[in-house]
Amino acid sequence: MLGGATADWQSKRRESARREILSAAWDVARENGLAALTLREVAARVGMRAPSLYSHFSSKNAIYDAMFGQAWRSYEEMTAGAVLPAQPRAALRAMAKRFFEFAVADLPRNQLMNQRTIPGFTPSPESYAPAVRVIERLRSDMTRMGIADDGDVDLFIALVGGLADAQWANDPGGTRYARLLDRAVDMYADALHLPQVDDDQEET
Amino acid sequence: MLGGATADWQSKRRESARREILSAAWDVARENGLAALTLREVAARVGMRAPSLYSHFSSKNAIYDAMFGQAWRSYEEMTAGAVLPAQPRAALRAMAKRFFEFAVADLPRNQLMNQRTIPGFTPSPESYAPAVRVIERLRSDMTRMGIADDGDVDLFIALVGGLADAQWANDPGGTRYARLLDRAVDMYADALHLPQVDDDQEET
DNA sequence: GTCTATAGTTTGATAGAC
DNA sequence: GTCTATCAAACTATAGAC
């Protein structure tokens, strides 16, 4: 009994230490750039020396990997609780806004989730799993609103992701591409003949 | 006379040495990743030692900068000679295909042109100039086909760029997003009420 | 213009004391 | 689990001989 409680307490400590390290890693990545992350800098922020990090992560890439998993899990949690509007167009708008704002809120996070910025880093299957679940969830949500074609789903993701990436590349911190989001979604919805209002009026 | 000819010959040699170095730099970037570029490796490929590169470039970032300029100038040259179809939809398709294929043909080039991958690197005004010219040219081409709104132009770029980035991130070397290109362009053209054929038939 | 030599850092990672 | 010590390597960049 006592042994079990101790083990539990220890694993909780370990978990919280890992979280602290990752939080510091995010800070460093935001300040110096994702590729400029160094173990010394991360360690310093949590009051440690670089070698101590190896008690919690087996390598630098393991830190990137954990960050990757954290990013997608946090997006997954954000979408898990949310309810989508019943009307397909409104639902698409909400989904697009959610994804766009998440991508635009944090550059290194977006680079990690949606680009291949770090040479030699590939996410592990465990860290990739939440990303897969998010896409599956998106796919089923869109199926429910009548969008079943895989290509149409891919196009939606590319459309919203493209706006987010363009926002970062050409107008970081601005709203030049954010303003186009609803226009883009409507364009997409029109092309798929989604009903304008609640009624199910099909075009001929 | 003779001095002038000698100077000319020397500057030609210098220029070709720079080109060789940059060509090696592209090779290294493609093999090891853009951010993993090192002066030693680049120098070795041209049969030099790292310090010798400083006779041609003032710093590592100056090499990135020259690569950035080279990438956009090469795209500019590619588009300069090309003639666009008279029909707006066909022209849009051609422009999209051209941009997409260029982006998908070379990962580090695309990262350099359209993302902010290298911490601390910002293109110089001289290297940025061809990028500006390309966008201006695109804008005027689109104006000529009746697309004058800046937002509409931005949306087109983001749409095509988003497909290219998604291709790299989710299906590198494949055709999953390339297949969606025409569908995306048609969707865009429909939203802007571009004529289906040569005639100028407006929707009510 | 290229070299050697080297400065001066910085890096990721390991060994072993405590 | 954190530390010191340290490795071994890599890095960008400079100085100065040739």
Side-chain angles (χ1 to χ4, degrees):
Chain A
M1 272 311 180
L2 196 126
T6 304
D8 193 45
W9 177 81
Q10 279 178 341
S11 87
K12 276 222 164 74
R13 279 289 302 163
R14 263 190 79 76
E15 200 41 52
S16 103
R18 272 178 67 99
R19 255 200 304 274
E20 264 185 76
I21 290 166
L22 290 179
S23 168
W26 284 114
D27 288 344
V28 175
R30 275 186 288 262
E31 288 172 34
N32 302 348
L34 183 67
L37 193 81
T38 68
L39 298 182
R40 279 173 156 77
E41 179 72 19
V42 171
R45 305 243 177 166
V46 294
M48 278 184 183
R49 309 289 182 158
S52 304
L53 298 181
Y54 285 86
S55 301
H56 301 277
F57 296 93
S58 64
S59 71
K60 186 186 178 182
N61 270 0
I63 295 183
Y64 279 132
D65 195 53
M67 292 169 80
F68 181 93
Q70 231 184 22
W72 278 103
R73 241 177 297 115
S74 99
Y75 188 77
E76 187 185 24
E77 283 160 23
M78 212 190 74
T79 62
V83 272
L84 287 172
Q87 217 278 318
R89 272 173 197 266
L92 278 184
R93 279 195 183 201
M95 284 164 40
K97 183 173 151 71
R98 191 199 285 158
F99 188 86
F100 181 89
E101 283 178 353
F102 195 82
V104 156
D106 194 324
L107 175 60
R109 187 176 63 185
N110 187 49
Q111 289 177 327
L112 211 44
M113 292 172 77
N114 301 317
Q115 296 170 2
R116 292 275 173 266
T117 296
I118 306 296
F121 166 67
T122 316
S124 66
E126 302 89 65
S127 293
Y128 201 72
V132 172
R133 287 197 300 269
V134 164
I135 300 301
E136 274 171 1
R137 165 77 190 274
L138 174 77
R139 227 172 263 283
S140 83
D141 280 347
M142 290 183 73
T143 301
R144 207 168 304 117
M145 53 215 286
I147 304 168
D149 182 76
D150 276 358
D152 286 334
V153 176
D154 287 344
L155 182 52
F156 183 74
I157 297 171
L159 177 61
V160 181
L163 284 167
D165 288 349
Q167 183 68 61
W168 272 119
N170 306 322
D171 183 38
T175 63
R176 183 165 146 202
Y177 295 86
R179 278 196 301 264
L180 305 174
L181 199 54
D182 284 346
R183 192 193 302 193
V185 173
D186 283 340
M187 179 183 85
Y188 177 83
D190 286 343
L192 265 59
H193 306 298
L194 293 193
Q196 288 285 350
V197 283
D198 255 286
D199 244 21
D200 201 277
Q201 51 195 40
E202 286 267 318
E203 281 197 43
T204 50
Chain B
M1 273 315 180
L2 195 129
T6 305
D8 193 44
W9 176 82
Q10 279 178 342
S11 87
K12 276 222 165 70
R13 280 287 303 160
R14 264 191 77 78
E15 199 42 52
S16 103
R18 273 178 66 100
R19 255 200 305 274
E20 264 185 76
I21 291 167
L22 290 179
S23 168
W26 284 114
D27 288 343
V28 175
R30 276 186 288 262
E31 289 173 33
N32 302 348
L34 183 67
L37 193 81
T38 68
L39 297 183
R40 277 173 154 78
E41 180 72 20
V42 172
R45 306 244 176 164
V46 294
M48 277 183 183
R49 309 288 181 157
S52 305
L53 298 181
Y54 286 86
S55 301
H56 302 277
F57 295 94
S58 63
S59 71
K60 186 186 178 182
N61 269 1
I63 294 183
Y64 279 131
D65 195 52
M67 293 168 80
F68 180 93
Q70 229 182 26
W72 277 104
R73 240 177 296 115
S74 99
Y75 187 78
E76 188 184 24
E77 282 161 24
M78 213 190 73
T79 61
V83 273
L84 288 172
Q87 217 278 318
R89 272 173 197 266
L92 279 184
R93 279 196 183 199
M95 283 164 42
K97 182 173 152 72
R98 191 199 283 158
F99 188 87
F100 181 90
E101 284 179 351
F102 195 82
V104 156
D106 193 323
L107 175 59
R109 187 175 64 185
N110 187 49
Q111 289 177 326
L112 212 42
M113 291 173 78
N114 302 318
Q115 297 171 2
R116 292 276 171 265
T117 295
I118 306 297
F121 166 66
T122 315
S124 65
E126 302 88 67
S127 292
Y128 201 72
V132 172
R133 286 197 302 268
V134 164
I135 300 300
E136 274 170 1
R137 165 77 188 275
L138 174 77
R139 225 172 266 282
S140 82
D141 281 346
M142 291 184 74
T143 301
R144 207 169 304 117
M145 54 215 287
I147 304 169
D149 183 75
D150 276 358
D152 286 333
V153 177
D154 287 344
L155 181 53
F156 182 74
I157 297 171
L159 178 62
V160 181
L163 284 166
D165 288 348
Q167 183 67 62
W168 272 119
N170 305 322
D171 183 38
T175 62
R176 184 166 145 204
Y177 295 87
R179 277 195 301 264
L180 305 174
L181 199 54
D182 283 347
R183 190 194 303 194
V185 172
D186 282 340
M187 178 183 84
Y188 177 84
D190 285 344
L192 265 58
H193 305 298
L194 293 193
Q196 288 285 351
V197 284
D198 256 286
D199 244 21
D200 200 276
Q201 52 196 37
E202 285 268 317
E203 280 195 45
T204 51

